[in-house]
Amino acid sequence: MRIERIALIGGSGFVGRHLVHHLHNRGYRCTVVTRHAHRHKELQPVADLVEVNPFDARALSSALRGCDAVVHLVGILNAGRKQDFRRVHVELVENVVGACQTAGIKRFLHMSALNADQASGSSQYLRTKGEGENRAHTLGQSQMAVTSFRPSVIFGPDDSFLNRFAQLLRIPGPLPLACPEALMAPVYVGDVVQAFANALEDPATYGKRYELCGPESYTLKQLVAFIAQHSGRRKMIIGLPDWLSRLQAAVLQFAPGKPFTPDNYQSLQTPSVCTSDGLSELGIDATSLANAGARFLRGEDKNRSRIHRRMFSGR
């Protein structure tokens, strides 16, 4: 299957921005489907921006015509008044797959999440992510070659993971940390986008679901201590017992930005570590957080920082 033009839904987000640049550098032509094209002018040098509501099936199928592949990256970590987990993770997937079929798309790459499971009895995030992933495979398989990716927490110089905790560590006093023993294997955003690109034209990946993890596993407390160390912060980190973790989630779900919710708490009860090495299967050597993450936090990789500033400032 020869692919020349790729449409990205969710291409203006964290992973999407990196993927657009990576695909552009590989010689693909990219179209970013977004609700608010004027907010993402920094992507114009590497992609066409098309302003479409992805829930509008007719408009979306029209925007996808002429493309050879679609990458679906949309997801939310917290539900709100205007968007809930099922609407974004399941109904949107159904709509996108239907629009792809109408537009004659033959290749579909889907961003899922590690531990996504339609039968999950606790976390709505993981349950709806699992249902959406299953819908992508079952609804799309009659007309499209579908591949999905299940990453652990994704890190990078412009992420909302390392940087969020780095900001929290600036607050005076000890840091009370919920779910300190939650286990995860952070995966570098550059490895994630390479996985998408490597799979794109490889028939051996059709119908597959790839788990994506970094080479090391950490508890959440170890990760926060790592961030403190390499961002130059001396901080006492107090791991909260389970009952206090639940209480913190119950309170912080009402704070601006919903920094921690009961559903986040439920998601953290399942270790976010891989049972198979999807990166290796796709020919990728996993990048170590201990090396790359430390450079980002210390600001040592100045050239890389300048590149990322240019990527996302439009200069």
Side-chain angles (χ1 to χ4, degrees):
M1 184 185 304
R2 177 159 179 76
I3 294 173
E4 296 182 356
R5 178 171 286 278
I6 304 162
L8 297 96
I9 302 169
S12 59
F14 165 51
V15 175
R17 296 192 304 267
H18 285 266
L19 182 55
V20 168
H21 282 83
H22 187 87
L23 293 172
H24 173 77
N25 291 338
R26 285 201 181 194
Y28 294 106
R29 292 180 293 156
C30 296
T31 296
V32 172
V33 177
T34 175
R35 289 175 182 263
H36 307 288
H38 66 281
R39 297 181 183 175
H40 309 293
K41 293 181 180 179
E42 76 281 358
L43 292 174
Q44 287 180 338
V46 293
D48 296 323
L49 301 181
V50 179
E51 190 163 288
V52 171
N53 180 348
F55 284 98
D56 184 336
R58 181 176 297 181
L60 182 58
S61 62
S62 177
L64 298 180
R65 291 193 186 279
C67 294
D68 305 300
V70 168
V71 179
H72 182 65
L73 299 164
V74 179
I76 57 172
L77 288 175
N78 293 310
R81 287 180 297 176
K82 294 184 178 180
Q83 53 186 8
D84 61 44
F85 286 122
R86 182 169 182 79
R87 176 167 168 77
V88 175
H89 294 159
V90 181
E91 294 175 13
L92 181 57
V93 171
E94 293 173 343
N95 194 70
V96 170
V97 170
C100 287
Q101 292 172 328
T102 301
I105 303 298
K106 300 299 182 185
R107 185 71 170 114
F108 189 79
L109 303 184
H110 177 71
M111 175 68 90
S112 185
L114 196 59
N115 297 320
D117 183 358
Q118 187 170 350
S120 174
S122 52
S123 167
Q124 292 184 58
Y125 171 78
L126 294 176
R127 184 166 62 252
T128 56
K129 269 292 192 179
E131 186 176 354
E133 180 183 350
N134 289 340
R135 295 292 177 88
H137 281 269
T138 57
L139 296 177
Q141 65 182 355
S142 61
Q143 295 184 31
M144 298 187 296
V146 179
T147 304
S148 57
F149 303 85
R150 313 175 112 216
S152 183
V153 61
I154 303 173
F155 75 91
D158 53 320
D159 67 26
S160 59
F161 177 66
L162 297 182
N163 291 299
R164 172 173 289 189
F165 277 107
Q167 291 292 328
L168 289 174
L169 288 165
R170 295 180 181 179
I171 300 173
L175 176 66
L177 184 67
C179 306
E181 299 306 311
L183 196 64
M184 54 197 73
V187 58
Y188 176 49
V189 65
D191 294 343
V192 173
V193 301
Q194 189 177 348
F196 275 76
N198 286 4
L200 191 60
E201 296 190 61
D202 183 358
T205 68
Y206 295 175
K208 298 286 186 64
R209 309 181 191 215
Y210 291 95
E211 295 187 350
L212 308 179
C213 283
E216 306 107 1
S217 297
Y218 301 83
T219 65
L220 183 57
K221 187 173 183 179
Q222 288 172 333
L223 279 171
V224 176
F226 172 89
I227 295 167
Q229 175 188 353
H230 293 289
S231 59
R233 301 285 170 184
R234 296 175 64 89
K235 175 73 73 170
M236 179 183 293
I237 303 166
I238 302 174
L240 300 180
D242 185 69
W243 70 271
L244 270 179
S245 296
R246 289 175 179 268
L247 179 60
Q248 188 185 75
V251 172
L252 291 182
Q253 67 177 318
F254 299 110
K258 294 190 174 186
F260 189 54
T261 70
D263 201 76
N264 298 151
Y265 166 85
Q266 294 293 348
S267 295
L268 288 172
Q269 302 313 298
T270 304
S272 188
V273 294
C274 291
T275 59
S276 60
D277 189 350
L279 289 177
S280 179
E281 292 175 39
L282 292 165
I284 302 164
D285 292 327
T287 301
S288 169
L289 173 70
N291 294 325
R295 290 199 307 273
F296 300 149
L297 290 165
R298 290 196 298 259
E300 291 180 356
D301 198 336
K302 296 180 181 178
N303 183 56
R304 183 178 296 233
S305 297
R306 283 196 297 270
I307 290 172
H308 282 280
R309 283 198 298 271
R310 285 199 196 105
M311 281 171 60
F312 308 132
S313 68
R315 294 194 298 272

